[in-house]
Amino acid sequence: MSEEGADEGVVRRDRFSGGPARAFMSSLAADERIFAADVAVDRAHVVMLDERGIVESDVAAEILAALDAVESEGHAALPAGEDVHEAIETAVVERVGPDGGKMHTARSRNDEVATCIRHRLREDLLSAVEATLALRESLLAAAEAEVETVMPGYTHLQPAQPTTVAHYLLSYEAAVARDTARLLDAYDRTNQSPLGAAAFAGTPFDVDRERTAELLGFDGVLRNSMDASSARDFLIESVSALATHATTLSGLAEDVVIFANKGFVELSDDYSSTSSIMPQKVNPDTLELVRATAGDAASGLSGLLTTLKGLPRAYNRDLQRATPHAWETVDAVSEATAVVAGAVSSADWPAETLESAAGDGFSTATGVADALAMAGLPFRTAHEVVAAAAERADGTPDLATLDASADEVLDASLFEYVSRADVQRALDPVHSVESRDSPGGPAPAAVAAQLDEAGADVDADRTTLADRREALDSAAERLATEVEVRTRD
Ligand code: ARG
């Protein structure tokens, strides 16, 4: 249909379809994202209208055949329209004639668009979940290879206590596991059907909302029709889960940038970049871009919250501008997740450099205090002895310095409490790590237990993901069968 034809379109009356604000009002280009979802929603609705005798079976069949044609021609071939819903309806009416207009019986674009967004977003959420699982697997594999690799651990970016690369990587795996859980939670509340709510106030037609929900793979129906058409909290929740995950990624990215600067990690060339004029440079650009993605995600969330804040019931066109925040955020964050997974899998952790830095800044001080406390000194007193030694020494104190401090604080020799060998061991970063075998700690045995549990959790989340996907696939098959029995000659 020509632009002019569309102006006098079958769906909008002249008064409402043109004018200088036409492009401003249109979401047709952005709606490409929900083109396939809209075709599916139209199909399920028409099958239900047929089953309920609301639309004649032969008309339903013609509409379904027209939808097949519209689908194969694609979004780019749609006639002009205010949005994808109107354009697809126009295309159907062009093919079927006036009876094509029966497709829009007992619904409104308000419940239609809400259904389409949920239908599409749930797929994107599952892809985001998949990306977090792949990242967790990369972190676990890298950790498994670095259980014995001692490295410095930091607080306030100051050397604090020795730990291992595995323990460090598992700290992020644990955080990403919660990100997965938040995304799956958001999925469950997204996967509810608004269809049949119509504009907001329901419909006098005897619709079967459970049936359309089932045909579209939704887990249930949103109970209240006004809520169903208006609600966009599923967007907030999804984008919030993504922004939280992006914040997790940004912390990991920042660490890797710092570690790369110290020579503690070597990124593969695939995840590095060089300078256009300084040929010696290998820069961690990918991780810097990941770090910045958290800014995009946070702005997506704040854009959504600001747009949705204070909107009156029921439908307002503001909602049209809320949706793109979700698409942009889910794309940016899922891509960043995959990049981090690749960077982690291909990175090298130079053990010698890490181990020799692990004792920097008297990082074993706490271990020496722990050894004194284990020998019966109150921890606070032990802390005082070691603090005095730290003050006397430049770096890690030797045994004589520690003994002098004990003399100062306790008026007794250090070796009345602990053997020389025990102190010597406590000063050794490798022994220091081995000694901290409390649950969740960095000792290789404690890390082995964390690896086991984390691996089992990833497997369980993989099963959940496969179940969700399987439910969507079998719904899509059921819908395809219902369409097919009606359109075959
Ligand atoms: N393009 C619109 C959106 O994204 C579809 C719904 C239009 N409904 C309306 N009452 N104007 O929200």
Side-chain angles (χ1 to χ4, degrees):
M1 182 186 273
S2 68
E3 276 290 315
E4 233 170 75
D7 283 349
E8 299 148 13
V10 289
V11 177
R12 320 250 80 206
R13 281 158 294 146
D14 294 352
R15 226 179 104 196
F16 298 115
S17 40
R22 185 185 171 87
F24 179 70
M25 277 195 288
S26 175
S27 61
L28 186 56
D31 287 347
E32 186 173 357
R33 184 90 180 206
I34 53 170
F35 173 75
D38 196 66
V39 173
V41 169
D42 286 345
R43 283 174 174 150
H45 184 65
V46 170
V47 166
M48 182 277 293
L49 292 177
D50 178 13
E51 286 172 351
R52 285 283 171 156
I54 297 170
V55 163
E56 305 84 331
S57 292
D58 57 332
V59 173
E62 278 184 71
I63 294 173
L64 291 170
L67 284 169
D68 285 350
V70 169
E71 180 184 50
S72 56
E73 285 182 13
H75 182 266
L78 285 176
E82 201 174 86
D83 55 31
V84 71
H85 322 293
E86 187 188 303
I88 289 179
E89 189 184 341
T90 302
V92 166
V93 172
E94 277 172 15
R95 283 180 168 76
V96 175
D99 272 350
K102 294 191 175 183
M103 180 170 78
H104 208 52
T105 310
R107 72 172 189 191
S108 141
R109 280 189 300 158
N110 296 352
D111 59 338
E112 186 180 357
V113 70
T115 312
C116 292
I117 300 167
R118 288 169 184 269
H119 192 278
R120 174 60 208 242
L121 182 61
R122 63 189 189 181
E123 260 175 56
D124 292 318
L125 286 174
L126 292 184
S127 302
V129 165
E130 166 93 59
T132 64
L133 292 175
L135 171 56
R136 285 162 64 190
E137 282 161 353
S138 309
L139 289 165
L140 290 179
E144 208 153 353
E146 308 293 347
V147 171
E148 311 271 350
T149 313
V150 173
M151 73 176 286
Y154 298 87
T155 60
H156 313 277
L157 219 48
Q158 306 285 334
Q161 287 184 284
T163 183
T164 65
V165 172
H167 189 239
Y168 165 77
L169 292 170
L170 287 176
S171 78
Y172 274 108
E173 193 286 326
V176 179
R178 291 189 296 277
D179 294 340
T180 306
R182 274 183 280 268
L183 288 166
L184 285 169
D185 254 20
Y187 177 90
D188 288 344
R189 269 181 293 275
T190 296
N191 200 28
Q192 298 288 325
S193 178
L195 199 59
F200 74 88
T203 168
F205 290 96
D206 183 22
V207 292
D208 186 345
R209 294 190 59 203
E210 265 79 21
R211 177 63 171 150
T212 47
E214 185 213 334
L215 288 170
L216 291 167
F218 288 107
D219 296 326
V221 161
L222 290 160
R223 186 188 310 137
N224 176 281
S225 65
M226 189 181 291
D227 172 54
S229 295
S230 325
R232 293 294 185 277
D233 52 297
F234 69 97
L235 292 181
I236 298 176
E237 189 175 357
S238 300
V239 171
S240 169
L242 290 160
T244 304
H245 176 51
T247 304
T248 307
L249 295 179
S250 75
L252 194 159
E254 169 72 352
D255 278 338
V256 173
V257 169
I258 293 171
F259 291 166
N261 173 267
K262 294 177 192 268
F264 290 174
V265 69
E266 281 158 17
L267 291 177
S268 95
D269 287 352
D270 287 348
Y271 292 92
S272 310
S273 177
T274 189
S275 158
S276 58
I277 64 160
M278 298 169 282
Q280 83 286 9
K281 299 269 280 167
V282 184
N283 298 325
D285 294 35
T286 49
L287 280 306
E288 291 164 3
L289 287 163
V290 167
R291 193 169 59 185
T293 303
D296 300 342
S299 84
L301 178 58
S302 101
L304 257 181
L305 289 167
T306 312
T307 302
L308 297 176
K309 174 194 167 296
L311 279 190
R313 283 279 186 263
Y315 179 88
N316 303 274
R317 194 61 170 269
D318 312 48
L319 294 179
Q320 178 171 295
R321 294 187 86 103
T323 318
H325 291 298
W327 309 140
E328 284 159 20
T329 306
V330 76
D331 288 347
V333 176
S334 300
E335 196 183 4
T337 311
V339 164
V340 174
V344 166
S345 303
S346 57
D348 265 337
W349 299 88
E352 267 176 42
T353 312
L354 286 162
E355 194 176 319
S356 79
D360 284 357
F362 190 16
S363 70
T364 50
T366 314
V368 176
D370 284 336
L372 286 171
M374 281 178 153
L377 267 188
F379 181 79
R380 190 49 57 213
T381 311
H383 184 273
E384 223 180 299
V385 171
V386 181
E391 237 168 77
R392 283 168 192 258
D394 178 23
T396 302
D398 56 15
L399 294 194
T401 310
L402 281 161
D403 197 28
S405 304
D407 199 49
E408 175 192 321
V409 175
L410 305 170
D411 212 15
S413 167
L414 184 69
F415 307 117
E416 284 178 28
Y417 297 89
V418 279
S419 70
R420 284 171 185 274
D422 280 352
V423 179
Q424 205 64 263
R425 255 204 304 277
L427 288 170
D428 168 31
V430 173
H431 175 271
S432 165
V433 164
E434 270 166 15
S435 71
R436 275 173 285 119
D437 58 357
S438 54
V447 161
Q450 293 167 57
L451 275 168
D452 282 353
E453 281 178 32
D457 288 352
V458 169
D459 290 347
D461 285 349
R462 279 233 171 260
T463 304
T464 305
L465 174 63
D467 289 350
R468 300 283 185 281
R469 284 206 162 127
E470 152 89 47
L472 295 187
D473 289 349
S474 55
E477 269 168 41
R478 277 198 299 277
L479 178 57
T481 306
E482 293 296 347
V483 170
E484 224 223 271
V485 298
R486 287 170 174 80
T487 50
R488 79 165 70 108
D489 298 327

